[in-house]
């Protein structure tokens, strides 16, 4: 279709970390097609950090409180006002919810390109049909918004570059933990996730004792580094303790905060976490925003899935590998065996860590 180059564009994708990262190739597509346009992004507080410094984003617009699970009328009114003042002539809505679609319309943005699932995109001027059973990766579904207006899609790899401040924070945490003594290769493990504004999916967490078993095996020839945010402390501690028990004092006899199974859980902000993962040889985690962040910095990733779809939310081709619970297990992540994950981790490093 004919879509004259816009002057000011806003991308509405408020949440969550992984979903926002999966939409960054859409932003890259639009800025490549329209280099003279300014592209802003309406995003919530929870996910704002993964867009700071993004070269394709001119400014961030506060969209906190506009999600269905945390909807606040005052926040919706505030966002509508901000979009009106922004003078946008085009909006791209990478959401299936009718709420951001209605917000873009009420803000008076004349051209609105968005997903239309079950008629929920009726407020868009360019409706891009999608359906719940679409087997494609979520990133490709978002890129359909670019295709719908004749814009060539960018590579589907998520976009994130740690800043110098992020790198410095990661260096400081590593130095404080004594990382100079940690042997290579490094495997970063994130056993948490499944917690977003308005939603909690703890069934997306592979059991901590399974992560511990992988950590202990890796530690036989390298260092496993456990990370986690404010809500992941219990899992991180369980992985370190379980790895220590499984190792039985092997691999140099030191297991714990000094390595070869070490914990930096609760010590790193999101950007510093990305900088740490970028230094690692491989990454292992659940279906979470941190796993998408790990893929964005180019570290080979292994992501354990269940009950969410690995085809829809797993690593894009070339970024890593998903290990999923089979259909016979009903998507129960507890059905994923340690051996299957260990084999994928070994493949991520071309066999490093095999026993």
């Amino acid at each position: 279709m004919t879509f004259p180059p816009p002057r000011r564009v806003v991308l509405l994708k408020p949440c969550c970390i992984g979903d926002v990262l999966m939409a960054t190739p859409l932003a890259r597509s639009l800025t490549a097609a329209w280099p003279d346009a300014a592209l802003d992004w309406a995003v919530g507080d929870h996910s704002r950090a993964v867009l700071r410094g993004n070269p394709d984003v001119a400014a961030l617009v506060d969209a906190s409180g506009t999600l269905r699970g945390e909807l606040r009328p005052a926040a919706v009114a505030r966002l509508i006002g901000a979009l009106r003042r922004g003078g946008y002539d085009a909006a791209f809505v990478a959401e299936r919810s009718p709420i951001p679609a209605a917000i873009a319309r009420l803000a008076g943005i004349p051209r609105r390109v968005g997903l239309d699932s079950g008629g929920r995109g009726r407020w868009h001027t360019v409706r891009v049909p999608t359906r719940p059973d679409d087997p494609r990766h979520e990133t490709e579904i978002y890129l359909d918004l670019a295709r719908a207006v004749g814009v060539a899609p960018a590579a589907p790899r998520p976009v994130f570059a740690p800043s110098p401040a992020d790198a410095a924070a990661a260096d400081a945490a590593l130095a404080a933990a004594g990382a100079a003594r940690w042997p290579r290769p490094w495997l970063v493990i994130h056993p948490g996730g499944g917690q977003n504004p308005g939603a909690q999916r703890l069934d997306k967490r592979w059991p901590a004792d399974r992560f511990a078993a992988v950590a202990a095996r890796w530690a036989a020839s390298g260092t496993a580094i456990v990370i986690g945010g404010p809500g992941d402390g219990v899992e991180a501690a369980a992985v370190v303790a379980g790895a220590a028990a499984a190792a039985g004092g092997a691999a140099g006899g030191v297991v714990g905060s000094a390595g070869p199974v070490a914990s930096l859980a609760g010590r790193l902000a999101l950007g510093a976490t990305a900088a740490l993962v970028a230094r690692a040889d491989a990454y292992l985690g659940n279906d979470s925003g941190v796993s998408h962040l790990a893929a964005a910095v180019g570290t080979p990733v292994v992501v354990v899935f269940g009950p969410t779809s690995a085809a829809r939310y797993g690593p894009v081709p070339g970024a890593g590998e998903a290990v999923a619970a089979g259909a016979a297990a009903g998507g129960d992540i507890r059905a994923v065996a340690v051996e299957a994950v260990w084999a994928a981790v070994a493949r991520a490093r071309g066999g490093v860590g095999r026993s």
Side-chain angles (χ1 to χ4, degrees):
M1 67 166 294
T2 301
F3 199 91
R7 181 179 54 87
R8 290 186 57 78
V9 180
V10 63
L11 199 164
L12 279 77
K13 186 64 182 174
C15 192
C16 291
I17 290 171
D19 293 334
V20 167
L21 283 167
M22 286 189 287
T24 53
L26 171 61
R28 172 145 293 182
S29 304
L30 300 178
T31 56
W34 303 317
D36 295 329
L39 185 146
D40 296 347
W41 194 310
V43 65
D45 285 341
H46 179 74
S47 308
R48 183 183 304 271
V50 297
L51 294 176
R52 291 195 179 103
N54 186 302
D56 302 309
V57 180
L60 301 178
V61 181
D62 185 13
S64 304
T66 63
L67 296 170
R68 183 171 55 188
E70 56 163 11
L71 192 64
R72 300 194 301 272
V76 172
R78 182 185 65 240
L79 178 56
I80 292 171
L83 296 180
R84 282 187 175 277
R85 292 189 297 273
Y88 302 106
D89 48 353
F92 286 77
V93 184
E95 290 281 354
R96 295 167 177 81
S97 167
I99 296 170
I103 287 172
R105 182 178 186 274
L106 291 170
I109 301 173
R111 289 179 285 172
R112 304 178 300 278
V113 184
L115 299 177
D116 184 10
S117 176
R120 288 176 288 178
R122 61 185 179 276
W123 302 119
H124 302 314
T125 59
V126 178
R127 302 182 187 181
V128 180
T130 185
R131 61 183 197 275
D133 61 346
D134 191 326
R136 294 177 303 149
H137 198 279
E138 193 76 351
T139 299
E140 292 292 348
I141 293 172
Y142 298 157
L143 286 171
D144 281 348
L145 302 182
R147 297 183 182 102
V149 296
V151 168
R157 192 77 170 252
V159 177
F160 183 83
S163 69
D166 294 331
D171 287 341
L174 287 166
R181 303 190 302 273
W182 297 352
R184 288 282 187 172
W186 287 1
L187 170 67
V188 171
I189 295 177
H190 179 237
Q195 294 177 303
N196 292 313
Q200 183 163 285
R201 292 293 306 275
L202 300 185
D203 56 344
K204 292 167 63 176
R205 294 185 175 186
W206 200 43
D209 64 320
R210 317 274 180 89
F211 281 111
V214 174
R217 291 179 72 167
W218 185 278
S221 59
T223 301
I225 306 169
V226 183
I227 61 172
D232 303 328
V234 172
E235 285 76 13
V239 171
V240 173
V254 182
V255 177
S257 62
V261 178
S263 177
L264 293 180
R267 304 187 199 181
L268 299 170
L270 206 60
T273 296
L276 167 66
V277 174
R279 291 162 168 74
D281 299 278
Y283 167 92
L284 170 63
N286 299 309
D287 173 20
S288 71
V290 175
S291 294
H292 290 285
L293 192 66
V297 300
T299 299
V301 302
V302 174
V303 186
V304 188
F305 272 84
T308 49
S309 168
R312 191 78 164 265
Y313 303 106
V316 296
E321 184 174 347
V323 185
D332 189 339
I333 199 168
R334 294 171 296 181
V336 177
V338 169
E339 288 300 325
V341 173
W342 174 250
V345 169
R347 285 192 292 271
R349 289 303 304 159
V352 171
R354 282 190 193 274
S355 61

